[in-house]
Structure formats: C-alpha cells, structure tokens
Amino acid sequence: MHKSYQSTLPCQSRILKQRWDKKYYDEHMQKVRSAQPMVDTKSPTTYVHLHLKLKKLQLEEERLAIIERDNRILLEKMSEIMRTTGRVDHRNNYVHRSLNKEKRQRELLRVTRENQEILKRILAREPEYNHEEWAREWEENEAFMDNIARFPRNWWEMEQEEKEQMRKEAKERRRKEAEKNGTSRSGRKSSRAERRRAQSREEQSSPKEESPQTPVESKPEETQPQEQTTQEPQKDEEPEAIEQDDEPATEQKEEPSTEQQEEAAADQEEEEPSTEQQAQPELA
C-alpha cells in the first residue's frame, strides 16, 4: 500500500483534495511559463534606410562617372597632342612681376621706423625704482637681523671651517712630534738601517776633521789597532740598536707601501758607498 495524500488544510476527501491541488498547481505552472516580462529587453528594431544608404551610393556612382569622363577627355587630349604639335604655346618666357611690391616695401619701412621710435622712447625713459636704494635698505635689514639673531649667518659653514682648521693643526702637530721623536713618515720608528746610516755619517765626518791636524803615517804595525778602535764603537752601539728595535715590536705591523719600499731601496744604495768610505781611512 502507498502512502495517502496529506493535505495542508483540513478536508473531508483526500482524493478530491489531491486532484484539486494538482489542477491548481498545473494552472500556476502554465501561467509561469506563459508570463511576459514587464521590461522590454529585446533588441531595437533596425531600419533598412539607416544601414543601406541608397542616396549615398547614387552620389558616389555619379562622382565616379564624372571622374571617369574627365579622365577619358584628358587622355584623348594628350593622345592628340602626342600625334600633332598641339594648339597651345606652353612656353612661359616672361619675367614674374609683383603688382604690390612697392606697397609692401613702403609698409615695411613704416613699421621699421615706428619700431625705432618706440625703442628710443624706451631707452630715454628714466626708471621709477632705484636699485641702489633697495640694496642699501637690504644691507640695513641684514644688519638688524644679525643684531637680533641668536646665531650668526652661515654658522654651520663657520663651524665646519673651524673643525677643518683644528684637524689640520693637529695633523701638523703630530707630524712635528714624529720628526722630533725620530719616526718615519708612516709613523713607525726609525729602523736599524737608518740608525746605522746616521752612525756611519758621524764616523765619516770625525776622521775628516782630524786628518789635517795629525797626519797618519803608513806603518803596517799600526793598522791593526786602528781597525780595532774603529770597530769598538760599533760593537758598543749594537746593543743600543737592538734595545731600540725591541720597542716597536709591540706596535701593530703594517704592510710596507710603495713609498716605503722605494725608501728602503734608496737606503741600501746609500749603505754600499758608506762601507767603502769606512774602509778607506782604515787602509790609510
């Protein structure tokens, strides 16, 4: 058995109620399917005379016909001229002359004369404003502003210049102290080669001063004590050089620059002639 129809409203016969409800529902669906819209959403009607302009086509055909007729007439004339000598003399040997040339020249002279007069009046006109008085008043205003201002004008640039000057003075002071303490340009203390070179210069200067006062006789026996005397101060001075070399060991090691390498090469070249000069007084 199938389930019986359940009506939403109370009724006496469910079979009749079912038939009536189905009929009402079918009628409603038929109305929904056949309903017309309230707003016309169809495309607008098209008119043939707006898209197909017959008058325009007729005018275009007439224009093309006129052009074709003119071209045909021109071609016939050209062919006739090519066959014969022609009926018109087309040589233009006359000089072109203007009919209003003199008038244009007079107008140009008049305009030029008026411009010159206007320029003279402008140059002869005295100015109504005195720029010198303006400059003087501006100087007075600047003086008043300086008097009431808290900081002078361009105080930032002045401060920068003072700092730069102080930096230069400090740099010059450090350079002088370095020269006084015997340091090189790079800030490091003088090396052993430099001290040896200074000692050799002192030793070279000392025998030259004593030679004119006490001439030395060439005796082979006395040469040995002279060599010993000349070598003794070097032995005594070596410990000092070693002690001085131990001091910069605590300093930071810097890589030798190109200028320092050139100085070292020049020092080696100077040391070679100094050794030869030391040997000459010993042989004497």
Side-chain angles (χ1 to χ4, degrees):
M1 295 177 65
H2 62 276
K3 190 174 181 180
S4 62
Y5 177 75
Q6 299 293 332
S7 176
T8 58
L9 296 175
C11 60
Q12 295 178 357
S13 175
R14 293 182 179 179
I15 298 172
L16 294 175
K17 186 64 175 174
Q18 182 180 3
R19 291 178 180 176
W20 294 336
D21 290 345
K22 185 177 180 182
K23 182 179 179 181
Y24 296 152
Y25 180 74
D26 294 340
E27 291 177 355
H28 171 70
M29 292 302 297
Q30 184 65 27
K31 290 180 180 180
V32 169
R33 284 192 292 269
S34 61
Q36 298 294 330
M38 297 295 293
V39 180
D40 188 7
T41 58
K42 295 184 293 184
S43 60
T45 58
T46 58
Y47 301 97
V48 179
H49 69 278
L50 295 177
H51 296 280
L52 183 61
K53 299 178 180 180
L54 300 176
K55 185 65 176 179
K56 184 178 180 181
L57 295 175
Q58 182 182 358
L59 295 174
E60 186 68 19
E61 290 177 358
E62 291 177 356
R63 188 179 69 84
L64 293 175
I66 293 169
I67 293 172
E68 186 68 24
R69 182 175 58 82
D70 294 341
N71 291 337
R72 187 180 70 256
I73 294 170
L74 181 61
L75 182 59
E76 291 176 357
K77 291 180 179 180
M78 290 175 65
S79 61
E80 185 180 356
I81 291 169
M82 292 295 291
R83 289 195 306 270
T84 61
T85 56
R87 294 176 296 176
V88 180
D89 186 8
H90 59 278
R91 295 179 178 84
N92 300 324
N93 296 326
Y94 59 89
V95 179
H96 178 72
R97 294 180 181 179
S98 178
L99 300 176
N100 59 349
K101 181 178 180 181
E102 295 179 358
K103 182 180 179 181
R104 287 189 286 106
Q105 289 179 352
R106 289 196 302 270
E107 187 70 17
L108 180 62
L109 291 173
R110 185 184 63 80
V111 173
T112 305
R113 195 182 307 109
E114 291 178 358
N115 291 337
Q116 290 178 356
E117 292 176 358
I118 293 171
L119 179 61
K120 288 180 182 179
R121 290 198 299 270
I122 291 172
L123 295 176
R125 178 68 178 176
E126 294 294 333
E128 296 182 1
Y129 301 102
N130 190 359
H131 65 280
E132 295 179 355
E133 185 178 357
W134 287 0
R136 181 177 55 77
E137 292 177 356
W138 175 245
E139 290 178 358
E140 293 179 358
N141 293 334
E142 284 185 341
F144 293 151
M145 287 190 292
D146 292 339
N147 292 335
I148 64 176
R150 183 176 181 181
F151 298 100
R153 285 182 297 173
N154 301 329
W155 63 273
W156 177 254
E157 296 179 359
M158 295 168 62
E159 186 176 355
Q160 293 294 331
E161 291 178 358
E162 291 179 0
K163 289 182 180 179
E164 188 67 22
Q165 187 67 20
M166 292 173 63
R167 197 180 296 111
K168 290 181 180 179
E169 291 178 357
K171 186 176 180 180
E172 186 67 20
R173 197 183 306 111
R174 287 195 299 270
R175 187 181 64 79
K176 290 181 180 180
E177 291 177 358
E179 291 178 354
K180 186 177 180 181
N181 296 332
T183 57
S184 60
R185 287 183 297 179
S186 62
R188 297 183 300 176
K189 292 187 177 181
S190 58
S191 60
R192 185 184 300 175
E194 293 178 358
R195 291 193 295 272
R196 286 181 180 178
R197 187 167 62 256
Q199 293 174 4
S200 62
R201 290 174 182 173
E202 293 177 358
E203 293 175 358
Q204 290 174 10
S205 60
S206 59
K208 289 180 180 179
E209 294 175 356
E210 295 176 357
S211 58
Q213 296 178 0
T214 56
V216 181
E217 295 180 358
S218 59
K219 293 182 181 181
E221 296 178 357
E222 296 179 358
T223 55
Q224 296 178 357
Q226 288 180 359
E227 293 176 359
Q228 295 176 0
T229 55
T230 56
Q231 294 176 0
E232 286 177 358
Q234 294 179 359
K235 293 179 180 178
D236 296 337
E237 291 176 357
E238 285 180 357
E240 296 178 359
I242 294 168
E243 293 176 359
Q244 292 178 0
D245 292 334
D246 295 334
E247 294 177 1
T250 58
E251 297 178 359
Q252 296 180 356
K253 295 182 180 181
E254 299 179 356
E255 296 181 356
S257 61
T258 55
E259 296 179 355
Q260 297 175 2
Q261 293 177 0
E262 292 177 357
E263 291 178 359
D267 296 340
Q268 292 178 1
E269 291 178 357
E270 291 179 357
E271 287 177 3
E272 293 177 358
S274 63
T275 54
E276 294 177 357
Q277 291 176 2
Q278 290 178 4
Q280 289 178 0
E282 291 175 1
L283 297 173

